[in-house]
């Protein structure tokens, strides 16, 4: 259960999400405007993440969304480091982005919505 006094955890989560927004969220959102397929892929990843956090995390409604999303993103970031996948640099690159990068873009989409 989340302890209301855990302000440091929330601050850390926000830092993670802000960093991720710069590397994945904003570039992917720009690509999504240009390419409907990218938009659809990000939406599908966001929906899957929402289901995982809502249904797969006990008492998730008691934990701030930013903390849940940052924790999930940290796991994906570890997988990304292991895979050594290149970051899509241009909007065109996002059309061929791998699962890990699209998943992180989905995290950013949910973070912006919450």
């Amino acid at each position: 259960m989340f302890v209301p006094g855990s302000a440091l955890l929330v601050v850390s989560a926000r830092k993670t999400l802000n960093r991720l927004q710069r590397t994945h969220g904003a570039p992917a959102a720009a690509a999504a405007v240009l390419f409907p397929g990218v938009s659809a892929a990000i939406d599908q990843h966001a929906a899957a993440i929402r289901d995982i956090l809502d249904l797969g995390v006990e008492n998730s409604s008691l934990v701030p969304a930013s903390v849940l999303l940052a924790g999930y993103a940290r796991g994906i970031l570890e997988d990304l480091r292991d895979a050594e996948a290149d970051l899509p640099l241009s909007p065109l690159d996002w059309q061929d982005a791998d699962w890990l990068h699209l998943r992180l873009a989905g995290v950013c989409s949910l973070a912006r919505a919450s």
Side-chain angles (χ1 to χ4, degrees):
M1 184 163 131
F2 185 78
V3 179
S6 300
L8 288 177
L9 189 58
V10 172
V11 169
S12 175
R14 287 184 182 155
K15 282 184 176 182
T16 297
L17 294 173
N18 286 339
R19 202 170 323 124
L20 197 59
Q21 181 63 26
R22 287 189 300 274
T23 61
H24 287 77
V33 170
L34 298 172
F35 304 108
V38 173
S39 179
I42 293 169
D43 288 346
Q44 289 173 347
H45 280 276
I49 295 163
R50 185 177 44 250
D51 289 347
I52 288 168
L53 295 179
D54 286 348
L55 304 174
V57 177
E58 189 174 332
N59 296 321
S60 62
S61 63
L62 302 176
V63 180
S66 63
V67 173
L68 290 172
L69 288 169
Y72 184 83
R74 287 180 185 123
I76 299 297
L77 286 166
E78 284 182 28
D79 292 342
L80 187 61
R81 278 188 283 276
D82 292 344
E84 298 179 6
D86 292 329
L87 178 66
L89 297 176
S90 74
L92 188 60
D93 293 338
W94 279 96
Q95 290 187 101
D96 298 318
D98 63 15
W99 187 93
L100 294 169
H101 289 295
L102 289 168
R103 201 61 156 201
L104 290 171
V107 167
C108 291
S109 176
L110 288 173
R112 281 191 309 271
S114 65

